[in-house]
Amino acid sequence: MNGSPHTVSDVMTHTVVAIGRDAPFKDIVRLIAQWKVSALPVLEGEGRVVGVVSEADLLPKEEFRDSDPDRFVQRRRLPDLAKAGALTAGELMSTPAVTVHADAPLAEAARIMAQRRVKRLPVVNAEGLLEGVISRVDLLKVFLRTDEELAREVREAVGVEVSDGVVTLTGRIRDTSLVPVAARAVRAVEGVVDVKFQLTGGPSSEPA
């Protein structure tokens, strides 16, 4: 996982359990239990993601199994009532599928999960074909990196060159608000004559 920022493809799970539109209810429940996942992508054709069946899509069948909802509940819970009578993935699935592209930054995947309140996202390519799945746990993998890995990446991202007391910081910095902070830190070093920047997105020079 070298390079920054990291993308979905760096941490996603490549082995994915998926189903077709005609998958029966019991098979879906069996797969979710067997693979210990909260949702399954629904595919058609060469692997295009057309929907997702989650645990939440399956629960209405049990919720309304022996109930007779009044008209108010019927109007308010119409989608759930339809799923209570569903027999296949095509009838159960939520569509359009909420997906993320493999080259998307991890922050984008985290935002989508939070906004759409989902635990897993199918990962697709430009044609909408399934490439993997990313979960909340996958997003946390970046925090398992060792201190040595982090230090090496920081050094690669921002280099330091010193010539005749002039310090030049080179590399790429995504948050340009950090440039003044870096300038103050470097200026605090006794003997520094000047501070210059060759940072993408940052100023070319900062007087000492």
Side-chain angles (χ1 to χ4, degrees):
M1 286 174 42
N2 294 323
S4 181
H6 295 297
T7 64
V8 167
S9 62
D10 292 324
V11 299
M12 71 181 187
T13 301
H14 292 268
T15 302
V16 185
V17 182
I19 53 178
R21 285 180 179 270
D22 297 330
F25 187 96
K26 279 203 168 184
D27 284 358
I28 299 169
V29 175
R30 190 177 299 114
L31 285 171
I32 285 178
Q34 177 183 345
W35 290 90
K36 296 180 173 62
V37 295
S38 58
L40 296 172
V42 181
L43 310 182
E44 71 176 9
E46 298 178 355
R48 186 166 59 88
V49 180
V50 294
V52 172
V53 176
S54 69
E55 294 168 326
D57 295 318
L58 300 170
L59 288 177
K61 187 174 287 293
E62 178 63 20
E63 179 184 356
F64 296 105
R65 181 169 56 86
D66 56 359
S67 66
D68 186 18
D70 58 31
R71 290 184 178 180
F72 174 75
V73 173
Q74 289 177 14
R75 287 195 301 269
R76 189 169 57 88
R77 302 286 303 279
L78 189 59
D80 288 339
L81 284 167
K83 289 183 179 183
L87 299 176
T88 65
E91 297 167 335
L92 285 161
M93 67 183 184
S94 298
T95 185
V98 181
T99 63
V100 66
H101 287 280
D103 58 357
L106 295 183
E108 180 179 334
R111 266 194 307 273
I112 295 172
M113 286 186 192
Q115 291 169 355
R116 303 303 291 267
R117 298 180 181 179
V118 295
K119 299 177 182 178
R120 293 162 59 87
L121 289 173
V123 182
V124 298
N125 61 18
E127 288 73 41
L129 302 181
L130 184 67
E131 291 198 341
V133 168
I134 187 167
S135 67
R136 292 174 179 176
V137 172
D138 293 327
L139 288 175
L140 297 177
K141 288 178 182 176
V142 292
F143 296 107
L144 298 177
R145 304 172 67 205
T146 65
D147 291 342
E148 290 75 16
E149 285 181 282
L150 296 174
R152 182 172 62 252
E153 185 165 320
V154 170
R155 285 193 295 268
E156 291 172 354
V158 180
V160 179
E161 299 174 2
V162 183
S163 178
D164 295 328
V166 177
V167 177
T168 302
L169 300 181
T170 62
R172 178 181 297 273
I173 185 168
R174 299 180 66 199
D175 188 351
T176 56
S177 67
L178 296 177
V179 172
V181 177
R184 286 194 296 271
V186 174
R187 278 201 297 270
V189 178
E190 293 289 345
V192 170
V193 176
D194 192 15
V195 183
K196 295 182 179 296
F197 293 91
Q198 294 178 1
L199 299 170
T200 301
S204 60
S205 176
E206 174 74 23

